[in-house]
Amino acid sequence: MGLSQRQWQDTVTLIEHFSAAEDAYKLRMDCGHALLRLLNADHFASYIWQNDKQQFAEPCQLNLDDSNLGRYKDYFQFHDPITHKMRQCSKAVSVNQIMQQQDLEKTEFYQDFLARDGMHYGVNLYVFDESGENLADFRIWRSKARSNFETTDLNMLDIIAPHFRNSMRRLSKKSGQLLIKQFGLTQREYEVLKLLNGALSDQAIAEQLHISLSTCRTHIRRIYQKLDIHQRAQLISLLTPYQL
């Protein structure tokens, strides 16, 4: 793959962001600026998938209208004909690999959401942890005035994907260590806590950790006591800032 000197410099800058990041939101924003330059693109968004709520959350964006993203949060992410299919891809993927451009332009999603901010040609990158859970994504768009993305653009995203994945894993682990210290959790309690946050049932947690159901419920009771909560909804709300 032939990259220009500027493209290599921008790629190196991206990788430096990943290695130095101490905050997941700032990491994604810094990468967004670099990706728009690297890919000659116009719009950027990034989300973290919340498995318990089955929705995208914690957005950050560049050159998009906040009110339009609010409409995505409340309606369009549940009526989105492309993104959930793209999320199944282990490598960078263009919108037109999922749906032909002429078909996309006929959809409500395009006409009432994408076009409002001038998003026309798109590519997405999703990264996952060891269990297959979606850690975060990059969504990059070009306006109609530009040409569509090419294979070279996807290849550049695939180059940075392992660095993005490792950085999000590291930041997630850092959040876990903070939780353990702040609330005095044992390692096993933290493992149960993560699975609770993933909306698993008590029985499913017990099976995944190879412990009895009664032992699992004992861990859950102690977690609730240490976090001073009484139900899972409180747990999910408390854990949101930690970006587990």
Side-chain angles (χ1 to χ4, degrees):
M1 177 180 61
L3 298 181
S4 68
Q5 183 176 0
R6 180 183 68 79
Q7 287 174 320
W8 275 117
Q9 290 173 341
D10 289 342
T11 302
V12 170
T13 298
L14 267 169
I15 293 172
E16 289 174 348
H17 286 318
F18 292 129
S19 61
E22 295 296 331
D23 174 83
Y25 180 86
K26 186 176 185 302
L27 165 67
R28 291 180 291 144
M29 286 296 288
D30 289 343
C31 289
H33 286 286
L35 284 168
L36 291 186
R37 175 179 165 86
L38 177 65
L39 299 178
N40 295 313
D42 302 290
H43 310 285
F44 169 84
S46 175
Y47 287 83
I48 292 176
W49 175 251
Q50 289 188 336
N51 195 52
D52 59 304
K53 297 180 180 179
Q54 290 293 292
Q55 66 182 32
F56 296 104
E58 302 178 44
C60 58
Q61 60 86 10
L62 294 170
N63 304 328
L64 296 172
D65 183 77
D66 285 334
S67 64
N68 201 28
L69 287 186
R71 295 168 70 244
Y72 180 80
K73 173 187 175 183
D74 296 334
Y75 177 79
F76 279 105
Q77 70 166 311
F78 307 110
H79 301 81
D80 181 339
I82 54 173
T83 306
H84 292 283
K85 294 178 182 178
M86 298 173 80
R87 195 168 69 89
Q88 305 306 311
C89 299
S90 59
K91 292 187 175 183
V93 57
S94 74
V95 169
N96 295 149
Q97 288 175 279
I98 303 300
M99 180 179 289
Q100 293 297 313
Q101 188 68 27
Q102 61 266 29
D103 295 329
L104 174 66
E105 292 176 27
K106 296 175 184 176
T107 65
E108 175 192 34
F109 184 69
Y110 178 86
Q111 295 175 4
D112 292 343
F113 172 64
L114 295 176
R116 288 197 177 198
D117 271 325
M119 293 179 280
H120 192 73
Y121 301 116
V123 292
N124 287 9
L125 174 67
Y126 298 85
V127 293
F128 304 85
D129 66 12
E130 297 88 342
S131 67
E133 181 180 348
N134 184 198
L135 292 167
D137 62 49
F138 288 150
R139 309 178 189 190
I140 305 112
W141 291 85
R142 286 176 179 165
S143 69
K144 191 174 183 178
R146 296 187 189 270
S147 61
N148 203 346
F149 292 95
E150 299 178 352
T151 301
T152 302
D153 301 309
L154 299 177
N155 290 342
M156 283 191 285
L157 286 172
D158 287 333
I159 288 174
I160 65 145
H163 303 280
F164 183 27
R165 180 184 304 111
N166 291 340
S167 186
M168 292 301 297
R169 284 174 176 168
R170 176 176 58 81
L171 292 173
S172 177
K173 183 177 181 181
K174 180 181 177 182
S175 295
Q177 292 169 341
L178 179 61
L179 268 171
I180 290 172
K181 182 177 181 180
Q182 182 174 351
F183 295 103
L185 301 173
T186 65
Q187 185 62 42
R188 177 61 90 185
E189 287 168 349
Y190 174 64
E191 292 170 357
V192 172
L193 178 71
K194 286 178 61 179
L195 296 175
L196 283 170
N197 192 48
L200 271 68
S201 67
D202 295 358
Q203 183 64 50
I205 293 172
E207 291 175 358
Q208 185 158 331
L209 296 179
H210 305 291
I211 58 178
S212 69
L213 181 58
S214 62
T215 298
C216 176
R217 287 176 172 165
T218 297
H219 287 311
I220 293 172
R221 184 175 67 254
R222 289 173 178 168
I223 290 167
Y224 280 21
Q225 290 172 346
K226 290 180 179 182
L227 273 60
D228 192 23
I229 58 174
H230 305 284
Q231 55 187 0
R232 288 203 184 195
Q234 293 174 297
L235 176 70
I236 301 302
S237 177
L238 186 150
L239 294 180
T240 297
Y242 293 90
Q243 301 177 330
L244 294 182

